[in-house]
Amino acid sequence: MNTRIANVLFQQLRSYSYKTVKRVTLPPASKLEIPESNGTKNFSLQNELKARIVASGPIPVASYMRHVLTNPSAGYYMTNDDVFGSKGDFITSPEIGQIFGEMVAVWCLNELYKFGGPVPFQLVELGPGRGTMMSDILRVFGSLKATAGLTVHLVEISDHLSKVQADLLCRSSTEHNDKPFYRSGFTGNGIKVHWYRHLEDVPQVFSIVLAHEFFDALPIHKFQKEGDCWKEVLIDIDPHDKKKFRFVVSKSETPMLRLFLNNYPEIATDRNHVEISFESEALIRQIAERFHANGGLGLIVDYGHLGEKNDTFRAFKNHKLHDPLVDPGCADLTADVDFSILNHFCERTSQVFTIGPTTQRSFLEMAGAKDRLEVLLTRAKSEEEKHRLTEGFRMLTEENQMGSRFKFLGLYPSELRQFFTKQD
Ligand SMILES: C[S@@+](CC[C@H](N)C(=O)[O-])C[C@H]1O[C@@H](n2cnc3c(N)ncnc32)[C@H](O)[C@@H]1O
C-alpha cells in the first residue's frame, strides 16, 4: 500500500469522532422446520444426496458441497439462523472487531485515489454474511465524505441472510422479482443497496469487489495421484452403513479431471493431491472481464495457503471440527483457498494481475490498525470494553491466530501493471 496516502487517510479517519461500535446481536429470524429423523438434523438433504448417488453413482465433492451449503430449501447457508459469532459455528474477522472493516475501508479509499477517484463507483461484496464488514466500511466512507457517486451491490445466495444484511445496513428494504436484483434498500445516509444472486447481474460500472471468507465456501473438486495416474475423489454411500457417506476414488478419468489435466498441466506435474474450485475460476474470469471493461479493483481475503497443503476439506460446527460427511447441512463446509491456484486463474485471464497474498497481520499493520486501536482504547467507556478491543486485535493479528492464516490478495486490471511498484 502507498503508505503516504494511507497515513493521510488514517489521520482523517482518526479525527472523526464516530464511536466504538457495539456488535449487534442478531434478532431471531424465521427458521425452516426440518424434521428430525434417525438422529440426523437435515434428513431431507441427506436423502436427496443418497437418491442422487443411487441414481447416477458417486458424486464429486463439489456437487456434495454445493448441495449441502446452498440447496434452496435445506442448505446450510439458506436455513440456519445464526451461524456466525460465538453462539454459531464459526467467527469471522469482521465480527471480531470494527477495526477490520475500517482498515478494509482505508485500503479501498487508498486504492480508489490511485484511480483518480472515479465517479460513479460501486462497492460490490460477495457473500456478506451478516453485513458487518460492509456496515463498518460504509461508516468510514460516510465519515470521510467519500460517498459521492457510490452505490452498494451485495451478491448473496441466501434470501434469509440478505434480510439479516438489510436489517443492519438499511432503514428498510423491498423485495423484487421483476428486476436483476431481488432486494433493495437505502442506508441511513441515502446510499442505494442492491442484492443479487449472481455477480453477472451487478451493473457494469467501476467496481471495488470485496470477498471475505467467500472463496473458501465455493465448491471444490478433489483430485489425487495414485502411482502415475490422477483420480478424482468422489463421495459414495458407505456400503457397511447405509446411513453414512464415504470418500472413494474414481475408477476412470472424470470430465472435471480431464479439464484439470488439460488446463493446468503444470499443477498436475508438481503435486500429488489438489483441491480446485472451477466456480472460483469462473468468478475470477467474470471479475477480470468486468475490470477490463469498466475498471475496478478487488480484494480477496480468506484463510489459505500457497500450494503447500493438500487435504483441507472439512466442516465446522459449534467452533469445532466436524466430519464433513456426517449430518450434511448441520455444519459449515469449507476448504482452504489455494492462493497459488487463484493466481493461476488470474494469470490465465490476462486481464488482471495480483498483488500478494500478504498476511492479515501485515495488511492491518500497513493500514494503521494499531493507531486505530489506540484511539478506540482512549474512547473506551469501561475496562471490559478495553479488554474486548485488545483481545479482538490480538486475535486478528497474532501469528498463531488469524494474523498469518488469513491472506489478502489484491486484483487490478492488467493495464495498470506498469504503474505498480513492489511497495504498493
Ligand atoms: C463464510 S460466510 C462469510 C460471511 C462474511 N463475508 C464474513 O466474513 O463474515 C459465506 C457467505 O457467502 C454466502 N455464499 C455462499 N455461497 C455463495 C454463492 N455461491 N453465491 C453467493 N453467496 C454465497 C453465504 O450465504 C455467506 O453470506
Side-chain angles (χ1 to χ4, degrees):
M1 176 176 309
N2 181 323
T3 36
R4 196 182 58 78
I5 301 176
N7 285 342
V8 172
L9 276 170
F10 195 72
Q11 289 308 319
Q12 282 181 278
L13 177 64
R14 69 189 304 179
S15 68
Y16 280 92
S17 61
Y18 52 81
K19 300 205 174 62
T20 310
V21 182
K22 233 177 164 233
R23 289 293 178 228
V24 287
T25 324
L26 263 187
S30 60
K31 193 167 189 169
L32 190 92
E33 279 300 322
I34 297 161
E36 299 268 336
S37 179
N38 293 351
T40 300
K41 186 182 160 239
N42 206 330
F43 190 56
S44 65
L45 203 57
Q46 175 140 341
N47 276 353
E48 250 182 75
L49 284 161
K50 279 189 188 157
R52 266 193 200 199
I53 295 172
V54 169
S56 58
I59 55 174
V61 174
S63 308
Y64 179 86
M65 209 174 161
R66 189 178 303 111
H67 200 68
V68 170
L69 292 181
T70 58
N71 173 282
S73 62
Y76 176 78
Y77 283 117
M78 315 304 267
T79 56
N80 284 307
D81 259 1
D82 190 8
V83 298
F84 309 93
S86 54
K87 292 195 186 115
D89 294 321
F90 55 87
I91 189 154
T92 63
S93 296
E95 303 296 335
I96 290 173
Q98 68 188 81
I99 287 179
F100 185 86
E102 290 174 352
M103 294 305 114
V104 172
V106 169
W107 179 87
C108 290
L109 288 168
N110 181 59
E111 301 307 285
L112 205 57
Y113 294 148
K114 288 183 189 165
F115 285 77
V119 170
F121 72 107
Q122 53 193 24
L123 280 170
V124 179
E125 187 179 355
L126 310 177
R130 279 174 168 176
T132 308
M133 184 172 85
M134 186 53 76
S135 161
D136 290 334
I137 291 174
L138 290 179
R139 194 178 57 256
V140 173
F141 272 60
S143 299
L144 298 180
K145 313 233 171 329
T147 56
L150 168 65
T151 49
V152 173
H153 304 264
L154 304 176
V155 179
E156 173 55 71
I157 202 161
S158 160
D159 285 4
H160 155 68
L161 279 174
S162 78
K163 178 79 173 69
V164 172
Q165 293 150 17
D167 287 347
L168 180 63
L169 296 170
C170 298
R171 281 174 298 201
S172 65
S173 73
T174 315
E175 289 178 34
H176 309 272
N177 50 23
D178 55 346
K179 298 197 160 57
F181 44 89
Y182 65 90
R183 181 182 294 286
S184 68
F186 284 96
T187 66
N189 56 352
I191 299 166
K192 186 125 207 209
V193 188
H194 296 100
W195 278 262
Y196 309 78
R197 290 196 178 81
H198 306 288
L199 177 63
E200 62 255 39
D201 295 329
V202 174
Q204 292 287 346
V205 170
F206 185 99
S207 305
I208 302 179
V209 178
L210 303 170
H212 183 266
E213 283 211 38
F214 173 74
F215 279 84
D216 70 274
L218 295 184
I220 50 146
H221 284 265
K222 275 172 89 71
F223 304 119
Q224 71 183 45
K225 221 173 187 174
E226 292 198 340
D228 282 343
C229 208
W230 277 95
K231 297 280 170 74
E232 176 161 6
V233 177
L234 302 169
I235 292 175
D236 196 4
I237 300 167
D238 187 337
H240 306 295
D241 181 351
K242 296 262 178 316
K243 278 191 252 143
K244 288 188 179 160
F245 296 104
R246 63 166 188 173
F247 290 109
V248 292
V249 287
S250 61
K251 292 200 177 80
S252 53
E253 198 177 74
T254 61
M256 298 318 270
L257 175 55
R258 197 167 316 130
L259 187 75
F260 164 64
L261 295 174
N262 284 344
N263 289 356
Y264 297 101
E266 63 285 57
I267 302 177
T269 313
D270 291 349
R271 311 215 199 154
N272 294 320
H273 192 139
V274 172
E275 293 171 330
I276 188 164
S277 167
F278 294 108
E279 275 189 34
S280 300
E281 184 185 30
L283 208 57
I284 293 285
R285 220 179 302 123
Q286 274 187 49
I287 294 172
E289 280 163 14
R290 177 174 286 275
F291 289 177
H292 181 65
N294 310 100
L297 55 126
L299 186 64
I300 296 175
V301 186
D302 230 305
Y303 41 85
H305 59 94
L306 297 170
E308 70 279 10
K309 290 191 185 172
N310 51 31
D311 189 10
T312 71
F313 176 58
R314 60 200 185 282
F316 281 101
K317 184 175 163 57
N318 300 329
H319 298 268
K320 292 200 184 88
L321 275 173
H322 177 87
D323 185 336
L325 301 189
V326 167
D327 208 358
C330 81
D332 186 28
L333 295 183
T334 176
D336 278 16
V337 171
D338 186 331
F339 281 93
S340 67
I341 294 186
L342 272 194
N343 262 326
H344 267 287
F345 293 161
C346 292
E347 276 162 25
R348 263 175 77 84
T349 71
S350 359
Q351 290 174 321
V352 282
F353 74 98
T354 58
I355 294 193
T358 185
T359 62
Q360 175 151 309
R361 182 190 177 91
S362 73
F363 178 94
L364 292 177
E365 250 171 29
M366 279 192 285
K370 220 169 192 174
D371 292 344
R372 180 66 182 144
L373 173 69
E374 261 146 44
V375 173
L376 291 175
L377 285 173
T378 57
R379 293 189 190 145
K381 294 209 171 54
S382 63
E383 283 309 309
E384 190 199 338
E385 193 181 337
K386 282 187 188 167
H387 179 73
R388 185 176 56 77
L389 285 163
T390 322
E391 271 305 292
F393 185 81
R394 196 178 62 74
M395 239 175 122
L396 291 174
T397 54
E398 272 194 1
E399 294 287 345
N400 59 355
Q401 301 260 352
M402 296 162 115
S404 65
R405 250 182 284 147
F406 278 79
K407 308 208 165 31
F408 287 58
L409 185 71
L411 267 61
Y412 301 85
S414 294
E415 292 80 357
L416 296 187
R417 194 190 291 265
Q418 55 182 313
F419 300 111
F420 277 70
T421 58
K422 268 256 175 270
Q423 68 136 29
D424 288 321

